[in-house]
Structures are given as C-alpha cells and as structure tokens.
Amino acid sequence: MIDGIWWLVILFTIIAILWFVAKSRGAKAGEKHKGTKSKNTAPNDALQKTSAILKQHFPDYQVTRKANHLLISKQGNKIAMMTIDKKLAIGQRRLGDVPVLNYHRVPSRAQLTANLQDAE
C-alpha cells in the first residue's frame, strides 16, 4: 500500500514540475511576443508626417491611422489608402474600389493634391 502512494506522490511531483516549467516558458514567450508586437506597431515617422500634412492642408479629408498605412476618407467614403514602403514600387494600384498609393518617403503637398484628385 505504501508503494502505491509513493508512485502517486512521484507522479504528482513530476506533473507539478512540468507545469511550473511550462508556465515559466509561457511567460517568457509572452514577453518576447509583446516585444515584437511593439516593434511592429512602432510609429512610422513618415506616416505621422504625412498624416499631419493631410490634416493641416486637406481639412475635408478624414485620416485614420493604421499600423502600416493611412486610410483617407471624405464624408464617410473611403477615398484612398496610403503606404510608405521602400520595398514596394512607387505608384498606384487598386484594392477593390480603393486606390492604394505607395511612396518611398513623405510626399509633397503637390503630390498629395494630384493623387487625391485622381483617387476621387
């Protein structure tokens, strides 16, 4: 009878040790994931500058900031989506009915005026 109880105690001890190891590794993995998430959502200075230009010089348009792009709408209708990505080609493509404008750096006011007029 004592032999059976010792096996049970050893089994519960092993389960408890494995649970503590899994819990400690889970916390470390969560911290790493939080670090990479904050890296991905770190503010893109070029998008912030573009958003400021749009809000300052184009008050008719509403600008919604997302992680990697700006959504530009006018009176509730989506007009365009802007990205600033050096890996993609500069230019315009369509995503459904909405044009996607890509730049490599902060666009000038003249570029924004021309592209937003084309997008409407």
Side-chain angles (χ1 to χ4, degrees):
M1 186 80 173
I2 294 175
D3 291 334
I5 292 174
W6 281 109
W7 283 107
L8 192 58
V9 169
I10 292 170
L11 180 66
F12 281 130
T13 305
I14 291 173
I15 290 172
I17 290 170
L18 290 174
W19 181 75
F20 282 120
V21 168
K23 188 172 180 176
S24 68
R25 285 186 177 224
K28 289 179 185 175
E31 290 170 1
K32 287 181 183 176
H33 180 63
K34 288 178 186 174
T36 56
K37 186 175 181 182
S38 65
K39 181 180 177 184
N40 288 341
T41 59
N44 185 341
D45 291 335
L47 279 178
Q48 284 181 339
K49 290 177 184 176
T50 305
S51 177
I53 291 171
L54 285 167
K55 288 177 182 177
Q56 181 180 8
H57 297 290
F58 301 96
D60 296 340
Y61 296 100
Q62 292 82 31
V63 180
T64 305
R65 172 74 194 268
K66 300 293 181 179
N68 297 320
H69 60 274
L70 297 173
L71 287 175
I72 302 165
S73 57
K74 187 174 186 180
Q75 297 175 351
N77 295 329
K78 291 180 185 174
I79 301 296
M81 182 169 75
M82 266 185 206
T83 61
I84 297 181
D85 191 352
K86 293 181 181 179
K87 296 176 185 174
L88 297 174
I90 292 178
Q92 185 173 342
R93 59 188 192 280
R94 295 193 80 70
L95 183 64
D97 294 337
V98 180
V100 179
L101 308 170
N102 187 57
Y103 300 101
H104 287 181
R105 54 186 145 85
V106 179
S108 67
R109 185 176 168 192
Q111 285 177 315
L112 289 173
T113 303
N115 286 332
L116 289 175
Q117 285 177 351
D118 289 343
E120 288 185 52

